[in-house]
Amino acid sequence: MEINHKSLYIKTTIMLSVLTLIEIGISYWDIVRFYQVGLLLTFALAKMACVAYVFMHLYYEEKVLRRILFVPIPLLIYFLLGLAYDAQFNWVIQ
Amino acid sequence: MSGHQKSFWTKYIFSTDHKMIAKQFLWLGMFFLFFGGALAMLIRWQLGYPEQPVPLIGNWMWPGDGGIINPDIYNQMFTMHGTIMIFWAITPLLIGAFGNFIIPLQIGAGDMAFPKLNLFSFWTMFLASLILLSSYLLPTGTAAGGWTSYPPLSSPAGGIPGLGQTIWTVALIFMGVSSMMGAINYITTVVRMRAPGMDYFKMPLSVWGLFLTSILNAVFVPVIAAGLVMLLLDQTIGTEFFLAGRLASGDPGDPLLFQHVFWIFGHPEVYILILPVWGIISDLLSVFSRKPAFGYRVTAIAMCTVTALSTLVWGHHMYTTGMSPLLGKSFMFLTLLISIPSAMFFLNWLGTMWKGSIHFTSPMLFSIGVIWVFGLGGLTGLYNATITADIYLHDTMFVVGHFHYTLAASVMFGSFAAIYFWFPRMFGRKLDSRLGKIHFWGTFISINFVFFNMMVLGYAGHHRRIYNPSEYSFLEPLTGLNEWISIFSFLLGVFQVVFLINMVWSMFKKERSPQNPWKATTLEWTMDYPIPHGNFEETPLVHNGPHEYSRPDIKDRDWLGQNERITV
Amino acid sequence: MNQTLTVKDPFGTATTGKLAMWLFLAMDAITFAAILMGGIYLRLRTDMWGDAGQVLNIPLTSFNTFLLIMSSFTMVMALDAIKKNDIKGLKLFLSLTILGGVSFLGIQIYEYAHFIIGNAELGQALQATGLKGDSFLWTSGTYGATFYATTSFHGLHVLTGVIYLSVIFYQSNKGMYSSANYDRIEIAGLFWHFVDLVWILVFTIIYLI
């Protein structure tokens, strides 16, 4: 591969920095908690995808490897949902 | 490598050869199997003959108590029995020993993908064993919080005093690290090192089982590692992840969090232990029925489905924790779903044997034993998975009977089948089949008596971890049954000694086994004993599936090796 | 019938070492996820939790985030350099990466020291969240426990990464790597980027949310 990746790397770095700044902005922004958390997580995921795809060269790996590495993500979301639901649930004794 | 001169140390101790590491794991597992078994005998003594001095060894072990097992020691015993049997006996026996031995040989690889990592994996395990055993030297004794080690029982703030529980946690973390190294190694080996022609659907089912086990290990051991680290922080530096109520100084944590984390790992763990057995006996039934495994693909895919489903059902261990009905019902539904793929390969096993020419050799007897005990274990699992039944049965002897049927009985029978089957490959000699038959029938009858009647006890309300059943009037009618269970469990122990004698005696007997005594088709039988370092002189080419038995187009014999081509 | 036998390998050109590293990283990610999930669970059960910037120092940590991103960039440049057989560039960028990691650790230690020693201002901030005391410790409720468990586990990864990269640096000093042989650098790079990747999540969940 004789492609010059340098400009891509620089762009990604700048993008990561900018996204971080936006994230910090959101964390001080006084909006509904639900949207705030949602936005922050979205930005975090976007940044993580940037790192994985560009810096870790996942983009150039085979499809299967990419897919297998994404299998744990829905699984972890499932665990989180189960845990979060149980954490907030209380039997109401009347 | 094969001509390379080796010293005693590099050949037997710090070997990177997967076959030697497999044997190391085998002996480690056997040691702990008997250790854990001895603990079980002592537990049974206390339950069958409450607070009577233990015969023979009692006065020597606990002179202060007049040979009686006191409640503290009893708690330590059932804790260590569970921990040792699950993490230090079954795991090294099936995954450590047979995973190491079978995978490279059956897929036609020279060794594991990372031989050195394999070496580290064993020695980390060994270190973990030493750490675990060292807790026995403490004046306060070893861990006593149950094998689940729920806080606050396992926290010094509110539970068992002394360092034992902390050492337990550290040992388990090391053991987890060892498992993770193994998992990386097995997965890369299966993915990368298969011989030419060995497609995924030409792999023997044993390799399938071990492969899926490794995947579960890779995904879930990190979860328990994280949980154990948090527990360790609670135990040592005073964090409060899992402490609540009076025990917490300020802002309370939640003991239920540990249960969640533990069972997110813990439920897949039972499949980690049983999947290799499913795979191994699927192969063995085919070998000794001289028939291709019925529904090979279905079995493989059903095993994958169980693997996937097993990750989603951890909550069924926690029905009585005040879980919301919505979560409880979801977990119940998903758990009951598992019975569908399980039933599929269960029927496939029967289909394999159907109209086969069955050879009742020792490995075959144990494989058939697995069908029986796993069938019972699986069926009783349905009661535990159903919320309404489980709320009554939870933490009773019924649960103990159930999981000993699935884990202890099935997995033990599976390991025995594997040892009887692959012994000629490991040590060049066959195990004695007469002693093998005595071992099988003795084990089979006593194990069924013990665990079936434990379920009866549980149904009558016998609680799981009580010290002295004679203290409760409602358990009085069960005294006789308890005693009988104890007697049969001692018998069970005696028959394992037969096996040990058989193993040691056969290892040194003169008579060598032929190269392929069972006339099996898989690649591990294609070379002479002793198998050289590097296994195959030249990389085998795989032309056939793993179960080519009784092919009508071959006249002179009833099997066709995976690397052979029919010359017509 | 003379078909050639092959093994279907869906993982293509990735070397076995790289595959193993990816597997390890997946397992490591699950460990982090489990700790973070524990933190989220505990947070949902308590009110004594600091809002963004209330207790934790966001500007300082943002600078730390920036450091990690930059060191990720220099790591990828180091790989780029060795692909072009530029040993000098490799060594330059590797040392910059290590420097980034060390500075990150330094700032983290400063942050910890600040919390552990504590002062009245910090005490007031903690008061607002419901926690007692003038210093923010791992015993300061589940908030403190989660904060220290997560960040120190990440810190250990940074430390491991720094040691790992130092070994690689030492090896490249001895001329072990060239444009034909850089697999190990790529694998080390994977680990280092993973540390960055996890930090993004930790930073968001622990500091910002």
Side-chain angles (χ1 to χ4, degrees):
Chain A
M1 276 191 299
E2 282 305 308
I3 319 157
N4 193 359
H5 288 123
K6 208 182 265 179
S7 66
L8 175 66
Y9 294 151
I10 293 173
K11 270 184 219 157
T12 313
T13 312
I14 293 170
M15 188 148 126
L16 284 173
S17 311
V18 171
L19 283 176
T20 310
L21 287 176
I22 296 175
E23 261 197 304
I24 295 163
I26 293 171
S27 79
Y28 284 107
W29 193 15
D30 200 14
I31 51 167
V32 181
R33 186 80 179 131
F34 181 78
Y35 296 121
Q36 193 182 26
V37 172
L39 274 175
L40 281 171
L41 285 179
T42 316
F43 275 90
L45 284 178
K47 282 162 73 185
M48 284 160 74
C50 275
V51 174
Y53 269 75
V54 180
F55 286 165
M56 295 169 96
H57 301 121
L58 200 53
Y59 187 73
Y60 304 101
E61 301 289 354
E62 297 289 323
K63 237 190 257 166
V64 179
L65 180 62
R66 239 186 292 163
R67 281 188 192 154
I68 285 177
L69 289 172
F70 283 114
V71 167
I73 294 174
L75 195 62
L76 291 170
I77 291 172
Y78 174 81
F79 292 158
L80 191 59
L81 285 179
L83 283 174
Y85 192 80
D86 198 40
Q88 294 208 304
F89 181 82
N90 273 311
W91 290 88
V92 181
I93 300 156
Q94 284 172 340
Chain B
M1 282 294 273
S2 49
H4 187 67
Q5 205 65 35
K6 285 195 187 126
S7 71
F8 171 79
W9 286 94
T10 50
K11 187 168 177 204
Y12 292 107
I13 311 292
F14 297 110
S15 170
T16 54
D17 185 359
H18 73 100
K19 298 181 291 293
M20 186 50 71
I21 295 171
K23 283 178 199 172
Q24 291 171 330
F25 269 117
L26 181 71
W27 292 120
L28 186 84
M30 288 299 281
F31 170 75
F32 278 107
L33 188 68
F34 278 86
F35 192 99
L39 289 176
M41 305 289 103
L42 289 168
I43 294 169
R44 274 323 308 179
W45 176 265
Q46 168 60 26
L47 289 174
Y49 306 94
E51 297 193 63
Q52 292 176 30
V54 182
L56 307 174
I57 56 166
N59 280 318
W60 174 67
M61 295 276 284
W62 306 284
D65 296 319
I68 297 167
I69 300 167
N70 71 34
D72 287 339
I73 303 279
Y74 180 76
N75 286 350
Q76 293 173 14
M77 272 176 185
F78 69 67
T79 303
M80 288 315 249
H81 169 70
T83 309
I84 282 177
M85 283 302 201
I86 287 174
F87 298 108
W88 269 270
I90 301 174
T91 310
L93 264 182
L94 273 175
I95 306 170
F98 286 103
N100 259 315
F101 195 76
I102 298 174
I103 290 179
L105 284 171
Q106 285 199 332
I107 63 172
D111 205 323
M112 283 290 184
F114 301 100
K116 273 191 195 131
L117 193 66
N118 211 358
L119 170 80
F120 287 131
S121 170
F122 174 76
W123 286 102
T124 313
M125 181 77 200
F126 191 77
L127 185 65
S129 322
L130 290 185
I131 294 171
L132 187 80
L133 289 180
S134 74
S135 66
Y136 271 104
L137 302 174
L138 294 171
T140 44
T142 179
W147 84 277
T148 48
S149 192
Y150 285 166
L153 274 181
S154 56
S155 324
I160 289 58
L163 261 181
Q165 204 67 45
T166 312
I167 288 183
W168 182 94
T169 316
V170 174
L172 231 68
I173 290 172
F174 273 91
M175 146 83 206
V177 171
S178 160
S179 287
M180 288 194 248
M181 288 193 227
I184 291 181
N185 218 341
Y186 295 168
I187 294 174
T188 40
T189 307
V190 173
V191 167
R192 265 295 147 79
M193 311 275 284
R194 280 170 292 126
M198 181 66 85
D199 299 336
Y200 283 110
F201 281 106
K202 273 186 188 165
M203 293 196 306
L205 286 163
S206 318
V207 179
W208 265 105
L210 288 159
F211 181 50
L212 293 171
T213 286
S214 309
I215 291 172
L216 281 181
N217 249 336
V219 177
F220 288 102
V221 175
V223 178
I224 192 66
L228 287 172
V229 167
M230 289 200 267
L231 185 64
L232 188 65
L233 295 178
D234 268 12
Q235 286 166 343
T236 50
I237 64 167
T239 58
E240 285 174 358
F241 286 109
F242 305 131
L243 294 179
R246 240 166 5 100
L247 300 169
S249 58
D251 177 31
D254 192 347
L256 280 186
L257 175 61
F258 184 80
Q259 295 197 17
H260 274 299
V261 173
F262 186 86
W263 288 118
I264 284 178
F265 153 80
H267 191 73
E269 170 71 12
V270 304
Y271 289 91
I272 288 171
L273 303 173
I274 195 83
L275 269 163
V277 172
W278 291 345
I280 286 170
I281 77 146
S282 303
D283 278 346
L284 260 53
L285 287 171
S286 163
V287 174
F288 293 109
S289 302
R290 311 310 292 168
K291 262 182 74 191
F294 185 81
Y296 167 79
R297 266 168 192 264
V298 177
T299 309
I301 291 168
M303 275 171 22
C304 296
T305 318
V306 176
T307 308
L309 280 176
S310 76
T311 61
L312 308 177
V313 297
W314 83 90
H316 65 211
H317 295 268
M318 298 169 64
Y319 286 152
T320 53
T321 58
M323 178 180 264
S324 92
L326 175 69
L327 271 189
K329 278 177 202 156
S330 327
F331 283 129
M332 176 171 98
F333 172 70
L334 287 165
T335 309
L336 293 176
L337 266 189
I338 294 185
S339 58
I340 296 170
S342 317
M344 277 183 198
F345 55 72
F346 196 84
L347 287 176
N348 283 348
W349 293 340
L350 300 180
T352 308
M353 283 164 65
W354 185 261
K355 290 188 176 172
S357 73
I358 299 176
H359 296 233
F360 287 104
T361 55
S362 324
M364 182 60 170
L365 284 174
F366 277 102
S367 305
I368 297 172
V370 172
I371 299 185
W372 171 258
V373 291
F374 181 70
L376 269 178
L379 285 175
T380 50
L382 296 175
Y383 297 85
N384 291 324
T386 316
I387 301 178
T388 40
D390 184 71
I391 285 177
Y392 175 68
L393 294 172
H394 188 85
D395 249 356
T396 63
M397 278 290 185
F398 188 88
V399 178
V400 177
H402 158 70
F403 72 66
H404 277 87
Y405 255 118
T406 46
L407 279 188
S410 309
V411 172
M412 229 165 81
F413 277 26
S415 320
F416 288 143
I419 292 174
Y420 277 102
F421 187 71
W422 278 294
F423 200 77
R425 282 286 80 175
M426 286 180 136
F427 300 101
R429 290 134 177 105
K430 261 168 108 168
L431 284 166
D432 187 79
S433 70
R434 229 170 338 146
L435 284 177
K437 271 174 193 131
I438 296 171
H439 176 216
F440 171 73
W441 285 111
T443 312
F444 186 76
I445 290 167
S446 42
I447 215 167
N448 275 299
F449 191 94
V450 171
F451 295 131
F452 197 88
N453 287 314
M454 269 192 196
M455 292 198 274
V456 176
L457 282 185
Y459 194 70
H462 193 301
H463 198 268
R464 175 177 175 183
R465 278 168 177 162
I466 50 177
Y467 166 64
N468 185 348
S470 67
E471 280 173 6
Y472 306 85
S473 56
F474 75 101
L475 292 180
E476 227 137 72
L478 301 173
T479 316
L481 192 54
N482 243 332
E483 208 172 307
W484 273 106
I485 293 178
S486 296
I487 292 170
F488 271 89
S489 70
F490 302 145
L491 261 181
L492 180 61
V494 170
F495 280 108
Q496 305 323 303
V497 178
V498 174
F499 173 65
L500 196 65
I501 292 170
N502 192 357
M503 217 169 145
V504 175
W505 177 66
S506 301
M507 246 170 77
F508 296 107
K509 73 178 175 189
K510 271 224 177 75
E511 185 201 341
R512 290 291 183 108
S513 144
Q515 186 198 325
N516 189 354
W518 315 114
K519 302 198 170 42
T521 56
T522 38
L523 291 174
E524 78 268 32
W525 303 99
T526 53
M527 69 293 275
D528 287 329
Y529 179 83
I531 305 168
H533 198 166
N535 299 345
F536 298 91
E537 268 173 27
E538 50 187 80
T539 316
L541 301 176
V542 179
H543 299 280
N544 305 306
H547 308 116
E548 298 290 312
Y549 297 103
S550 305
R551 275 177 68 140
D553 51 346
I554 312 170
K555 291 286 170 266
D556 52 337
R557 59 177 186 174
D558 67 345
W559 58 284
L560 180 69
Q562 279 197 280
N563 58 341
E564 293 171 322
R565 302 187 75 167
I566 331 167
T567 42
V568 187
Chain C
M1 204 175 83
N2 202 359
Q3 71 210 70
T4 45
L5 292 167
T6 49
V7 190
K8 264 189 235 148
D9 190 349
F11 295 97
T13 50
T15 59
T16 312
K18 203 161 145 191
L19 211 58
M21 184 44 105
W22 271 113
L23 258 175
F24 169 73
L25 294 182
M27 289 157 76
D28 216 8
I30 293 170
T31 317
F32 267 108
I35 294 184
L36 284 172
M37 279 194 300
I40 293 168
Y41 179 93
L42 291 170
R43 180 169 194 179
L44 288 170
R45 292 187 71 90
T46 180
D47 296 327
M48 300 185 203
W49 208 280
D51 291 334
Q54 201 174 13
V55 177
L56 306 174
N57 188 344
I58 288 189
L60 186 71
T61 325
S62 310
F63 178 67
N64 242 351
T65 311
F66 184 67
L67 265 180
L68 268 194
I69 291 172
M70 285 317 287
S71 74
S72 234
F73 170 71
T74 52
M75 186 66 227
V76 91
M77 291 306 289
L79 184 63
D80 223 34
I82 191 65
K83 276 184 182 168
K84 291 177 192 141
N85 216 1
D86 174 12
I87 305 279
K88 233 182 199 170
L90 168 73
K91 280 196 270 186
L92 172 71
F93 283 119
L94 263 185
S95 43
L96 281 176
T97 313
I98 295 169
L99 189 71
V102 171
S103 328
F104 179 92
L105 282 175
I107 292 175
Q108 202 176 23
I109 289 168
Y110 167 77
E111 187 193 16
Y112 276 15
H114 175 73
F115 284 145
I116 291 168
I117 295 163
N119 53 38
E121 205 183 328
L122 185 64
Q124 265 176 354
L126 285 170
Q127 202 83 51
T129 66
L131 295 164
K132 295 185 196 76
D134 268 356
S135 52
F136 183 54
L137 296 170
W138 45 91
T139 46
S140 307
T142 43
Y143 183 36
T146 309
F147 169 78
Y148 279 101
T150 325
T151 52
S152 66
F153 192 52
H154 179 266
L156 276 179
H157 276 75
V158 179
L159 184 65
T160 316
V162 166
I163 295 168
Y164 191 178
L165 289 178
S166 306
V167 172
I168 298 283
F169 183 80
Y170 173 75
Q171 286 174 335
S172 54
N173 224 3
K174 282 173 77 181
M176 267 182 68
Y177 300 109
S178 66
S179 59
N181 172 24
Y182 56 81
D183 194 40
R184 282 187 182 194
I185 298 179
E186 202 175 348
I187 291 169
L190 280 181
F191 182 79
W192 189 255
H193 296 311
F194 172 78
V195 172
D196 183 19
L197 186 143
V198 164
W199 179 250
I200 291 169
L201 197 62
V202 171
F203 179 62
T204 309
I205 289 182
I206 300 288
Y207 287 84
L208 294 183
I209 289 182

